[in-house]
């Protein structure tokens, strides 16, 4: 079982209430399993939901935030540890160093950047972290279809379905943690 999991997700809530419900469930699950949450350090959006949920259930929560986002993402002041770094790249690198696995929830450009950097680093053997995509209510269906097209068009070195796990409900994390 992992000791720490990075969660990458939106600093906004999105339009589907299920996204926040799933973020809350992930925070609860990590806390109940005594797995440290590593996340973006903010209080807003899905990031805030997952952190607040873990904290409420006595989980250990570590935030990593670049100084340029400290106002925009509203730094969470109830974290066990907060790392303030200079750049987004340093944020991703620090989060990768601190985690053993990553869960990707719905989010925007930043979330996709984090997902693809982790996949790329795994493919280049920079690290070998378990990556789990939580496809809440089919949020990532179009992305997965595009990955199929990338595979069909010959741009991938290995089958993309070997790069990460896809789940549709946070409860499925339990079986991946065993």
């Amino acid at each position: 079982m992992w000791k720490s999991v990075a969660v990458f997700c939106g600093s906004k809530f999105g339009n589907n209430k299920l996204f926040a419900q799933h973020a809350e469930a992930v925070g609860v699950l990590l806390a109940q399993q005594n797995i440290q949450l590593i996340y973006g350090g903010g209080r807003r959006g899905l990031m805030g939901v997952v952190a607040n949920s873990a904290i409420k259930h006595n989980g250990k929560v570590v935030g990593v935030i670049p100084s340029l986002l400290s106002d925009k993402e509203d730094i969470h002041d109830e974290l066990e540890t907060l790392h303030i770094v200079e750049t987004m790249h340093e944020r991703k690198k620090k989060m990768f160093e601190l985690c053993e696995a990553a869960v990707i929830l719905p989010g925007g450009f930043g979330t996709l950047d984090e997902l693809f950097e982790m996949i790329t680093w795994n493919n280049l053997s920079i690290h070998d972290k378990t990556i789990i995509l939580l496809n809440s209510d089919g949020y990532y269906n179009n992305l997965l279809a595009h990955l199929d097209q990338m595979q069909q068009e010959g741009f991938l070195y290995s089958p993309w379905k070997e790069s990460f796990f896809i789940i549709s409900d946070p409860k499925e994390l339990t079986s991946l943690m065993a």
Side-chain angles (χ1 to χ4, degrees), residues 167 171-178:
I167 61 174
K171 294 174 191 167
E172 296 173 72
L173 282 171
T174 307
S175 64
L176 296 172
M177 288 188 231

Side-chain angles (χ1 to χ4, degrees), residues 20-37:
Q21 292 169 4
H22 278 182
E24 183 175 1
V26 168
V28 169
L29 180 66
L30 294 176
Q32 288 174 341
Q33 298 293 321
N34 200 29
I35 298 172
Q36 186 176 56
L37 166 64

Side-chain angles (χ1 to χ4, degrees), residues 32-106:
Q32 288 174 341
Q33 298 293 321
N34 200 29
I35 298 172
Q36 186 176 56
L37 166 64
I38 311 297
Y39 89 114
R43 183 181 288 280
R44 295 185 182 163
L46 298 182
M47 274 200 289
V49 171
V50 73
N52 289 336
S53 177
I55 290 167
K56 181 179 175 182
H57 291 86
N58 300 313
K60 297 174 184 163
V61 181
V62 174
V64 183
I65 192 164
S67 56
L68 68 109
L69 291 181
S70 59
D71 291 332
K72 189 174 185 177
E73 291 185 357
D74 193 15
I75 292 178
H76 204 300
D77 59 1
E78 298 175 47
L79 305 178
E80 180 177 306
T81 306
L82 176 67
H83 300 275
I84 299 177
V85 296
E86 288 302 310
T87 67
M88 291 297 287
H89 182 72
E90 287 177 45
R91 176 197 227 177
K92 289 184 290 185
K93 184 176 184 230
K94 185 70 170 173
M95 290 177 75
F96 297 161
E97 289 170 356
L98 294 173
C99 77
E100 295 173 293
V103 177
I104 316 301
L105 280 63

